[in-house]
């Protein structure tokens, strides 16, 4: 982030992306960036000195460097008539002005961003939003990323609008909810579908139905009809084994 050539590279990439994708948002990632390397990088340390950044109780100077960098990226995105979307790590060091945040490391990042009047998409892996996590006992399920199981009920019972945010009158900042199906272990379309369904059907219901109308027992009854629809389209899906919950 201390290398000015990096920003020039990103500008060139953005020029290509806006040609290809007509969407309102551009997702820039911003996650899983180990600052320990920046601590040892002479260019990063020179940029930190140039910007006058100092460690504070809340944020390291390296995290503040990321904020500076993401602000520069956001300006470039805005110049191209787009909005910036990024993972919740961009909260570390202070949030850039108009960013929309995807909260994946639990719900805390989403709550914090909404309280700062930023828009949020909720996608916490721990709450059943990661479809590449096991959906049954790892001893019998196809191998996937090492993870605790997230059963169909986990996905269905998730409420994308935290009570804290609702109580503060900030629910309008929760734009929606997303499930992720990361593909490191997806060796075929069949495996991808098996991991997605039927949890993706639960996602649809929690995204579009009010909490007052949610009922997991009734959802399971209706899922039988949806399974027939999946069969008609030759889509693979998970069926819990007898010894597993739900």
């Amino acid at each position: 982030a201390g290398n000015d050539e990096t920003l020039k590279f990103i500008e060139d990439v953005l020029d290509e992306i806006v040609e290809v994708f007509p969407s309102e948002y551009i997702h820039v990632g911003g996650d899983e960036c180990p600052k320990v390397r920046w601590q040892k990088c002479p260019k990063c340390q020179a940029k930190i000195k140039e910007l006058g950044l100092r460690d504070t109780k809340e944020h390291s100077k390296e995290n503040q460097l990321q904020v500076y960098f993401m602000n520069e990226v956001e300006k470039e995105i805005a110049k191209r008539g787009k909005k910036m979307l990024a993972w919740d790590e961009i909260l570390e060091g202070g949030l850039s002005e108009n960013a929309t945040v995807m909260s994946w490391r639990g719900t805390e990042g989403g709550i914090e961003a909404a309280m700062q009047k930023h828009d949020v998409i909720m996608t916490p892996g721990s709450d059943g939003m990661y479809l590449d996590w096991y959906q049954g006992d790892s001893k019998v399920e196809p191998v996937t990323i090492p993870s605790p199981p997230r059963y169909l009920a986990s996905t269905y019972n998730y409420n994308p609008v935290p009570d804290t945010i609702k109580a503060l009158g900030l629910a309008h900042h929760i734009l929606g909810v997303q499930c992720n199906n990361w593909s490191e272990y997806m060796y075929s379309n069949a495996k991808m579908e098996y991991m997605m369904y039927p949890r993706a059907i639960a996602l649809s219901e929690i995204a579009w139905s009010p909490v007052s109308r949610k009922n997991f027992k009734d959802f399971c009854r209706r899922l039988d009809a949806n399974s027939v629809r999946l069969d008609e389209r030759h889509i693979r899906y998970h069926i819990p084994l007898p010894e597993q919950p739900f």
Side-chain angles (χ1 to χ4, degrees), residues 42-74:
K43 288 185 177 179
C44 288
Q45 291 305 312
K47 181 63 74 174
I48 284 169
K49 190 174 180 181
E50 177 193 324
L51 296 169
L53 303 178
R54 299 276 187 277
D55 287 331
T56 67
K57 212 179 286 185
E58 293 83 18
H59 306 298
S60 72
K61 56 183 182 291
E62 285 77 22
N63 278 335
Q64 293 172 60
L65 178 62
Q66 178 165 355
V67 176
Y68 153 78
F69 188 80
M70 297 307 288
N71 273 322
E72 294 302 304
V73 172
E74 186 174 32

Side-chain angles (χ1 to χ4, degrees), residues 20-228:
V20 178
F21 298 102
S23 55
E24 181 182 1
Y25 291 93
I26 294 178
H27 201 308
V28 297
D31 61 318
E32 298 181 354
C33 183
K35 305 301 187 302
V36 65
R37 294 169 194 165
W38 295 8
Q39 291 167 5
K40 298 173 183 176
C41 169
K43 288 185 177 179
C44 288
Q45 291 305 312
K47 181 63 74 174
I48 284 169
K49 190 174 180 181
E50 177 193 324
L51 296 169
L53 303 178
R54 299 276 187 277
D55 287 331
T56 67
K57 212 179 286 185
E58 293 83 18
H59 306 298
S60 72
K61 56 183 182 291
E62 285 77 22
N63 278 335
Q64 293 172 60
L65 178 62
Q66 178 165 355
V67 176
Y68 153 78
F69 188 80
M70 297 307 288
N71 273 322
E72 294 302 304
V73 172
E74 186 174 32
K75 287 174 193 170
E76 294 300 325
I77 289 172
K79 278 183 199 172
R80 292 157 177 79
K82 306 288 185 177
K83 295 179 182 176
M84 186 172 86
L85 183 60
W87 300 112
D88 58 50
E89 280 93 333
I90 65 166
L91 285 157
E92 297 166 3
L95 199 51
S96 51
E97 192 177 349
N98 297 306
T100 297
V101 174
M102 297 196 84
S103 187
W104 74 277
R105 299 177 300 171
T107 59
E108 295 79 9
I111 291 169
E112 184 183 341
M115 288 176 73
Q116 293 182 36
K117 311 293 172 62
H118 283 261
D119 289 340
V120 178
I121 296 164
M122 301 301 284
T123 177
S126 53
D127 292 271
M129 296 297 104
Y130 272 42
L131 304 185
D132 55 323
W133 288 24
Y134 282 108
Q135 52 192 330
D137 192 326
S138 61
K139 296 185 198 70
V140 293
E141 289 293 329
V143 67
T144 188
I145 187 169
S147 60
R150 287 294 177 263
Y151 301 111
L152 179 64
S154 305
T155 304
Y156 186 83
N157 290 327
Y158 178 60
N159 177 14
V161 184
D163 292 339
T164 314
I165 295 304
K166 197 177 286 183
L168 292 169
L170 298 171
H172 60 284
H173 282 296
I174 309 297
L175 297 185
V177 60
Q178 172 177 297
C179 278
N180 301 304
N181 199 26
W182 301 112
S183 60
E184 293 96 324
Y185 294 85
M186 308 292 167
Y187 304 122
S188 66
N189 283 343
K191 173 73 177 294
M192 179 187 68
E193 291 171 357
Y194 178 83
M195 299 302 290
M196 286 175 65
Y197 293 100
R199 289 182 293 183
I201 299 171
L203 168 70
S204 299
E205 187 144 324
I206 66 171
W208 297 108
S209 296
V211 175
S212 59
R213 293 190 60 186
K214 282 173 62 178
N215 181 307
F216 184 63
K217 187 176 179 182
D218 183 59
F219 172 75
C220 289
R221 179 186 62 77
R222 290 181 284 111
L223 193 59
D224 286 344
N226 274 305
S227 297
V228 173

Side-chain angles (χ1 to χ4, degrees), residues 7-17 80:
L7 194 59
K8 179 66 175 70
F9 170 77
I10 286 177
E11 289 172 21
D12 292 342
V13 172
L14 289 173
D15 284 337
E16 293 193 28
I17 287 175
R80 292 157 177 79

Side-chain angles (χ1 to χ4, degrees), residues 224-238:
D224 286 344
N226 274 305
S227 297
V228 173
R229 294 190 181 99
L230 294 173
D231 288 336
E232 286 174 347
R233 289 162 177 78
H234 307 289
I235 292 172
R236 284 79 164 184
Y237 56 91
H238 175 259

